[in-house]
Amino acid sequence: MVRRSARSRNRRQEPAVKQLPWRQLVNPYSPIEVLSTDQIEAIHQSSLVLLERTGMRVLHEEARKILKAAGADVDPTTKMVRFDRGLVEEKVALVPSEFTLRARNPERDITLGGNRIAFCTVSGPAYCTDLDRGRRTGTFADTCDFLRLAQSLNIIHQEGGWGFEPQDLPPETRHLDMYQAQCRLLDKTWQPWALGRERSVDAIEMACIAFGTDREGLAKRPPFLTVVNTNTPLQLDIPMAEGLIEYAQAGQVVCVTPFTLAGAMGPVTLAGTLSLQNAEALAVLTLIQIVNPGAPAMYGAFTSNVDMKSGSPAFGTPEYTKAALASGQLARRHGIPFRSSNTNTSNTVDAQAVYESAMSLWGAIMGHANLVYHAAGWLEGGLTASFEKLIVDAEMLQMMAEYMKPIEVSEDTLALEAIEEVGPGGHFFGSPHTLERYETAFYSPMLSDWRNYETWKEAGSIDTTTRANKIWKRLLEEYQPVPLDPAVDEALAAYVAKRKEGMPAAGK
Amino acid sequence: MVRRSARSRNRRQEPAVKQLPWRQLVNPYSPIEVLSTDQIEAIHQSSLVLLERTGMRVLHEEARKILKAAGADVDPTTKMVRFDRGLVEEKVALVPSEFTLRARNPERDITLGGNRIAFCTVSGPAYCTDLDRGRRTGTFADTCDFLRLAQSLNIIHQEGGWGFEPQDLPPETRHLDMYQAQCRLLDKTWQPWALGRERSVDAIEMACIAFGTDREGLAKRPPFLTVVNTNTPLQLDIPMAEGLIEYAQAGQVVCVTPFTLAGAMGPVTLAGTLSLQNAEALAVLTLIQIVNPGAPAMYGAFTSNVDMKSGSPAFGTPEYTKAALASGQLARRHGIPFRSSNTNTSNTVDAQAVYESAMSLWGAIMGHANLVYHAAGWLEGGLTASFEKLIVDAEMLQMMAEYMKPIEVSEDTLALEAIEEVGPGGHFFGSPHTLERYETAFYSPMLSDWRNYETWKEAGSIDTTTRANKIWKRLLEEYQPVPLDPAVDEALAAYVAKRKEGMPAAGK
């Protein structure tokens, strides 16, 4: 945490951060289609054959029982579950095409599906980094700052599940502290973790407290979207199965995301990896719909490729972009809301970080992703969350939001009279047509510096990443607390304290 | 120029630069359409009314005569030329939908039109910059290095007209030295300048010498594409009119590009500025087709917006992207090859430079631009050409080229058997399906560093812009001369020497 005294000192020097207002986004343009309908069908049919002939290994016994009861072919020795295409198609058809997530602040509710799109912060990294303190293991205080930034940035529609691991907290109870912090510091929706039964039940119980409701009330108006990954290829592990069963039973949104890296856990050909991704997603979606028919769910895609020289994953590659666009086509074929991500492989917030992110973002947005996960803050192939990248990404997201505002064509905007009034060789600066509209005519950036070279140089030649550093600090200074009802706050604290009884304490 | 000794010293340390091979690109995906057919028609109709009711001021007397003889309404006092819509539509319909540009090396010929796309280096900046020497006025030696890099980068399909001004050469004869250098250092197509009659005639004469042909031969197989800008709003100046008449008469490709900055030279509304852009482009295309019916030409779009606080231009904005996509729709409506650009406003090769470039590039490519001008090297709103940005852009262009390679869907690539062979929980590294394909399966970057953080840090934490610096130097070391026939070389030198007689000498 940046010291309070430093914050006060800076307050008068740094201008307030300009942002776009909060608003839900709609993508008005047709998606980019990189495959024909026949090709999409060929990939899907190959997935169905794979599920029928080979199936998935489901390590969790209860999950196997649920699948068997619904008619899947289960081999108790190998734990392999084979899925009849009829079963898959019947169950997958139950997934709603749209859902609404309830936020503490009703104005921050988000609806996902169709052409609607939401941006969500990074989650999962082991490390965090910023220009002042470098790359390091993050603390609870760091993750709380990251939550404050997710709350403060209007372009962020959802907090993704604490930006990185607070490594000063014991792993067994970390999620309790983080859920509590998410309840306290955010009035937007946020993601809990699906890693095992306990982490899932705790999230659900704490949400009941926070919303002053019970499980039935929570199911009617779900606040949660959580990610379930497969162990690609063709395996579902126990913690993820536990998590998905809990959340599905509770009517919360499960986003099924196979972790398909072409050349490593998937075939070296994109068509093959997409077919594997599709098979795994459909298998898990089938399980979810057996657990709770009609439960909201998402089709997540994470297909990228590895560097074939080193075997390490690469993100924001041209293959990643194509896979995102193709995955959007598959999700739309199934009529299921689609999740993609904003990824990159760079080790620092430089040109590479941005051009890889741009490849990811265009794939996500023109693939009509409904949720762009890791939309802000992801660095280093997802190993590190960066405070500066969070701001660079927020600027890129704002630009994409403005790109999605259609051009208005009317007599007024065609401006024929205004053009004729100004006439040849003139300019429009003083034209009444300009003066009436100039304040809101164009996107005004948060981070970009459009000053000329001389002015920029006189002001210290400050590059974009360094400006981003100033902006996140300023946002922390400006953070507006969103206080909980004291009774709710107390009840949440009591829940956390009770659950921690007998568990390892911080600092262990 | 980097000293030869330094080059030799580095030769053993730096690995050879990996690049994609030269190839002509085709965009296989449908363009993004940001406007409906009706909206495009409304913009076009507004342009026609503007040309009928107000028209353009044409400062060049001969151009006015040509237009008057073809039936345009010319006011000799105000120099205003009004265009009947019938005249415009008749003439614009004559523009060929496709053309081929002849390069010295026939393997470097490029065809533009339809879904074909080519990338061209920056042109026009007053300054150049690199990490070693900073921002400065460029010299002839600097521009020659930039030409060598344009020649060496396979992803560059055309050299754009010497990257920046060689300010150590007198302005009156600079073009002669540069045309000579373009002839000597490039076997790709290159752009000459259309600024005035002399610069245009010299290019045509020198091309006749270089190709060993006459004006008739040159017209049959044109080597040149040159940009003609209007003085927006609604004015065509004398040098540009002279240039376009010369090139059109010689059957060379004229790319008409109104310089329409919304809020300054164009209305503050995008629809208005697009309508103005369209009117000016159509007026000049009409003039070209009167001069030489059926002469190849392009529809160029440069619509961006200004920063309404400072009045200075901004590039790579969301408005820029939308305007590029809409301009592509207008160009396709007319059936004319389309030119867009890769622009940004940043003062240094940082995150902003890249995210603005990405917005420009996606607009150009998904707007189905046939030529992406300034595709590599543009910085600082076009005031500076950057050696490092040239390399960063080349990487971005390579990624876009790979993005435009369709996903192959076949039994072979669906890899059903390979997936079943590997089975649950396995991996594909050693799979025969992988081993047969891994070397060419994925894009292998020129500039990106995909090593993990620790390895990257041990190697010195070198950021992308610094790596780009090493790459352009290495490319200069590796530059393969493309010697001219000595007789041609001599004849070009003699032409230049003769033309310089009585003109100011270098160093003046």
Side-chain angles (χ1 to χ4, degrees):
Chain A
M1 174 117 69
V2 176
R3 278 183 307 121
R4 195 58 61 176
S5 62
R7 291 188 188 186
S8 311
R9 207 167 43 238
N10 284 330
R11 195 179 287 270
R12 264 162 306 182
Q13 293 162 17
E14 299 292 335
V17 176
K18 289 181 301 203
Q19 292 188 60
L20 293 182
W22 163 279
R23 108 184 137 84
Q24 278 211 255
L25 302 175
V26 171
N27 187 345
Y29 312 126
S30 297
I32 296 176
E33 304 203 327
V34 294
L35 295 174
S36 69
T37 310
D38 286 354
Q39 288 176 317
I40 286 292
E41 214 43 40
I43 289 172
H44 178 58
Q45 291 303 320
S46 196
S47 305
L48 292 179
V49 173
L50 185 61
L51 289 177
E52 280 182 338
R53 217 156 70 178
T54 300
M56 269 189 87
R57 182 185 284 154
V58 177
L59 299 179
H60 190 237
E61 197 181 343
E62 189 190 338
R64 287 200 304 276
K65 277 187 191 161
I66 293 169
L67 287 161
K68 192 178 160 108
D73 176 36
V74 176
D75 181 330
T77 317
T78 61
K79 300 174 183 171
M80 291 301 290
V81 180
R82 291 185 300 165
F83 298 77
D84 178 78
R85 69 178 61 204
L87 177 69
V88 172
E89 284 173 346
E90 178 202 324
K91 296 303 174 192
V92 167
L94 299 173
V95 180
S97 61
E98 187 179 291
F99 57 81
T100 296
L101 290 176
R102 176 186 188 184
R104 168 139 75 92
N105 177 351
E107 288 172 18
R108 301 283 180 270
D109 286 0
I110 53 174
T111 298
L112 301 184
N115 293 334
R116 291 192 186 82
I117 182 163
F119 300 137
C120 166
T121 44
V122 65
S123 176
Y127 306 102
C128 70
T129 190
D130 65 64
L131 286 187
D132 304 297
R133 291 163 292 183
R135 184 188 191 257
R136 62 194 190 276
T137 54
T139 63
F140 179 63
D142 290 324
T143 55
C144 287
D145 274 350
F146 214 77
L147 292 183
R148 290 186 186 95
L149 293 170
Q151 169 68 18
S152 299
L153 288 162
N154 293 333
I155 196 67
I156 298 299
H157 300 97
Q158 181 175 75
E159 192 283 322
W162 66 85
F164 45 90
E165 287 302 306
Q167 297 207 33
D168 57 342
L169 299 181
E172 296 81 356
T173 56
R174 193 179 284 174
H175 67 283
L176 294 164
D177 298 296
M178 290 314 307
Y179 292 159
Q180 189 180 18
Q182 287 170 306
C183 287
R184 282 177 166 165
L185 300 173
L186 300 159
D187 72 358
K188 300 175 177 178
T189 68
W190 50 269
Q191 288 192 27
W193 282 73
L195 206 68
R197 189 175 175 276
E198 286 195 359
R199 284 187 188 83
S200 307
V201 170
D202 284 331
I204 292 162
E205 293 298 327
M206 289 174 76
C208 287
I209 296 169
F211 286 102
T213 189
D214 56 13
R215 280 184 165 245
E216 202 181 326
L218 210 68
K220 271 189 194 145
R221 295 180 58 200
F224 285 147
L225 185 161
T226 189
V227 173
V228 162
N229 297 117
T230 49
N231 278 167
T232 305
L234 297 175
Q235 191 164 281
L236 179 65
D237 70 18
I238 294 173
M240 282 297 179
E242 285 184 354
L244 82 84
I245 291 170
E246 284 304 321
Y247 285 106
Q249 279 175 343
Q252 307 303 302
V253 184
V254 175
C255 177
V256 182
T257 311
F259 191 61
T260 33
L261 282 174
M265 296 89 103
V268 78
T269 47
L270 275 188
T273 291
L274 286 166
S275 162
L276 179 60
Q277 165 195 292
N278 190 57
E280 295 183 2
L282 295 181
V284 179
L285 287 164
T286 297
L287 173 57
I288 289 167
Q289 296 304 314
I290 296 169
V291 169
N292 184 357
M298 294 195 91
Y299 186 101
F302 209 78
T303 293
S304 193
N305 59 290
V306 296
D307 176 0
M308 291 310 297
K309 280 185 296 299
S310 66
S312 54
F315 295 101
T317 62
E319 291 80 11
Y320 182 93
T321 308
K322 287 187 279 190
L325 295 166
S327 297
Q329 290 184 256
L330 285 162
R332 288 192 297 282
R333 185 215 170 275
H334 309 317
I336 305 177
F338 169 49
R339 167 243 157 141
S340 188
S341 306
N342 175 9
T343 62
N344 70 87
T345 327
S346 188
N347 288 302
T348 187
V349 187
D350 64 352
Q352 180 186 333
V354 174
Y355 61 67
E356 289 177 337
S357 271
M359 290 302 284
S360 302
L361 266 184
W362 277 88
I365 287 171
M366 293 316 293
H368 275 217
N370 301 108
L371 180 74
V372 183
Y373 198 31
H374 308 303
W378 162 300
L379 199 66
E380 211 190 288
L383 279 176
T384 296
S386 158
F387 283 77
E388 285 83 23
K389 186 64 163 45
L390 180 71
I391 302 302
V392 170
D393 285 331
E395 177 78 302
M396 292 174 76
L397 296 173
Q398 289 202 149
M399 290 169 79
M400 294 307 283
E402 289 290 300
Y403 154 72
M404 287 188 276
K405 263 193 195 163
I407 298 174
E408 197 194 323
V409 181
S410 64
E411 205 180 308
D412 191 48
T413 61
L414 283 167
L416 188 52
E417 279 76 23
I419 297 171
E420 292 181 315
E421 250 172 60
V422 167
H427 68 76
F428 291 77
F429 286 122
S431 152
H433 186 267
T434 305
L435 293 175
E436 282 159 22
R437 292 164 184 82
Y438 80 98
E439 282 183 59
T440 56
F442 306 128
Y443 172 60
S444 181
M446 174 172 73
L447 174 62
S448 298
D449 190 331
W450 288 347
R451 292 179 296 180
N452 66 31
Y453 180 81
E454 288 72 20
T455 315
W456 173 80
K457 198 179 169 191
E458 270 166 34
S461 304
I462 300 170
D463 74 5
T464 304
T465 305
T466 308
R467 293 198 303 274
N469 176 273
K470 291 171 194 277
I471 288 176
W472 69 256
K473 289 181 193 165
R474 188 76 179 102
L475 282 172
L476 282 184
E477 288 171 26
E478 290 171 358
Y479 169 76
Q480 296 292 325
V482 279
L484 274 175
D485 176 329
V488 170
D489 202 9
E490 216 170 284
L492 284 170
Y495 180 89
V496 169
K498 185 158 179 255
R499 284 280 294 112
K500 282 187 177 177
E501 276 169 19
M503 301 276 263
K508 186 196 156 182
Chain B
M1 175 113 73
V2 177
R3 277 184 307 120
R4 196 57 61 174
S5 62
R7 292 189 188 185
S8 311
R9 206 166 46 239
N10 282 331
R11 195 178 287 268
R12 267 163 303 184
Q13 294 162 17
E14 299 292 335
V17 176
K18 289 181 300 205
Q19 292 189 61
L20 294 182
W22 164 279
R23 110 184 135 84
Q24 276 210 256
L25 302 175
V26 171
N27 186 346
Y29 312 126
S30 297
I32 297 177
E33 303 203 326
V34 294
L35 294 175
S36 68
T37 309
D38 286 353
Q39 289 175 317
I40 286 292
E41 214 44 39
I43 289 171
H44 177 59
Q45 290 303 320
S46 196
S47 305
L48 292 179
V49 173
L50 186 60
L51 290 177
E52 280 182 335
R53 220 157 66 178
T54 300
M56 270 188 88
R57 182 185 286 153
V58 177
L59 300 179
H60 190 236
E61 196 182 341
E62 189 191 338
R64 287 200 304 276
K65 278 187 192 161
I66 293 169
L67 287 161
K68 191 179 160 101
D73 175 37
V74 177
D75 181 331
T77 318
T78 61
K79 299 173 183 174
M80 291 301 291
V81 180
R82 291 186 298 165
F83 298 76
D84 177 77
R85 70 178 59 205
L87 177 69
V88 171
E89 283 172 349
E90 177 202 324
K91 297 302 174 191
V92 166
L94 299 174
V95 181
S97 60
E98 188 179 290
F99 57 81
T100 297
L101 289 176
R102 177 185 187 184
R104 169 138 75 93
N105 177 350
E107 288 172 18
R108 301 284 179 269
D109 285 0
I110 53 173
T111 299
L112 301 184
N115 293 334
R116 292 194 185 80
I117 182 164
F119 300 138
C120 166
T121 43
V122 64
S123 176
Y127 306 101
C128 70
T129 189
D130 65 64
L131 286 187
D132 304 298
R133 291 163 292 183
R135 182 187 192 259
R136 63 193 188 278
T137 53
T139 63
F140 179 63
D142 290 324
T143 54
C144 286
D145 274 350
F146 214 77
L147 292 183
R148 288 185 187 95
L149 293 169
Q151 169 68 18
S152 299
L153 288 162
N154 293 332
I155 196 66
I156 298 300
H157 300 97
Q158 180 174 76
E159 192 281 323
W162 67 85
F164 45 90
E165 287 302 306
Q167 298 208 32
D168 57 342
L169 299 182
E172 295 81 357
T173 55
R174 193 179 283 174
H175 67 284
L176 293 164
D177 298 297
M178 291 313 307
Y179 292 160
Q180 189 180 17
Q182 287 170 307
C183 287
R184 281 178 167 164
L185 299 173
L186 301 159
D187 71 358
K188 301 176 177 177
T189 67
W190 50 270
Q191 287 193 27
W193 282 73
L195 206 68
R197 189 173 176 276
E198 285 195 359
R199 286 187 187 83
S200 308
V201 170
D202 284 331
I204 292 163
E205 294 296 328
M206 289 175 76
C208 286
I209 296 170
F211 286 102
T213 188
D214 57 12
R215 280 184 165 243
E216 202 182 325
L218 210 68
K220 270 189 193 147
R221 295 180 58 199
F224 286 146
L225 184 160
T226 188
V227 173
V228 161
N229 298 117
T230 49
N231 279 167
T232 305
L234 297 175
Q235 190 164 282
L236 179 65
D237 69 18
I238 293 172
M240 282 298 179
E242 285 183 355
L244 83 84
I245 291 171
E246 284 303 322
Y247 284 107
Q249 280 175 342
Q252 308 303 302
V253 185
V254 175
C255 176
V256 182
T257 311
F259 191 61
T260 34
L261 284 172
M265 295 89 102
V268 78
T269 47
L270 275 188
T273 291
L274 286 167
S275 162
L276 179 60
Q277 165 196 292
N278 190 58
E280 295 183 3
L282 295 182
V284 179
L285 287 163
T286 298
L287 173 57
I288 290 168
Q289 296 303 314
I290 296 169
V291 169
N292 185 358
M298 295 194 91
Y299 185 101
F302 208 78
T303 293
S304 193
N305 59 291
V306 296
D307 177 359
M308 291 310 297
K309 280 185 295 300
S310 67
S312 54
F315 295 101
T317 63
E319 291 80 12
Y320 182 93
T321 308
K322 288 188 278 191
L325 294 166
S327 298
Q329 291 185 256
L330 285 163
R332 287 192 297 284
R333 185 214 170 278
H334 309 316
I336 305 178
F338 170 48
R339 167 243 158 141
S340 188
S341 306
N342 175 11
T343 62
N344 70 87
T345 327
S346 188
N347 289 302
T348 187
V349 187
D350 64 354
Q352 179 186 334
V354 173
Y355 61 66
E356 290 178 336
S357 271
M359 291 301 284
S360 302
L361 266 183
W362 277 89
I365 287 171
M366 293 315 293
H368 275 217
N370 301 107
L371 180 74
V372 184
Y373 197 31
H374 309 304
W378 162 299
L379 198 66
E380 211 189 291
L383 278 176
T384 297
S386 158
F387 282 77
E388 285 82 23
K389 186 63 164 42
L390 180 71
I391 302 301
V392 170
D393 285 331
E395 177 78 303
M396 293 174 75
L397 296 174
Q398 289 201 149
M399 291 170 79
M400 294 307 284
E402 289 290 299
Y403 154 72
M404 287 188 275
K405 262 194 196 163
I407 297 175
E408 196 194 323
V409 181
S410 64
E411 205 181 307
D412 190 48
T413 61
L414 284 167
L416 189 52
E417 279 76 24
I419 297 171
E420 292 181 316
E421 250 172 60
V422 167
H427 68 76
F428 290 77
F429 285 123
S431 153
H433 186 267
T434 305
L435 293 174
E436 283 159 23
R437 291 164 184 82
Y438 80 98
E439 283 183 61
T440 55
F442 306 128
Y443 171 60
S444 182
M446 173 171 74
L447 174 63
S448 298
D449 190 330
W450 288 348
R451 293 178 297 179
N452 67 31
Y453 180 81
E454 289 72 20
T455 314
W456 172 79
K457 198 179 169 192
E458 271 165 34
S461 304
I462 300 171
D463 74 5
T464 304
T465 304
T466 309
R467 293 198 302 275
N469 177 272
K470 291 171 195 276
I471 288 176
W472 68 257
K473 290 180 193 165
R474 188 76 179 103
L475 281 172
L476 282 185
E477 288 171 28
E478 289 172 359
Y479 169 75
Q480 298 291 326
V482 279
L484 274 175
D485 177 329
V488 170
D489 202 9
E490 215 169 285
L492 284 170
Y495 181 90
V496 170
K498 185 157 176 255
R499 284 281 293 111
K500 281 186 177 176
E501 277 170 19
M503 302 275 263
K508 185 199 158 179

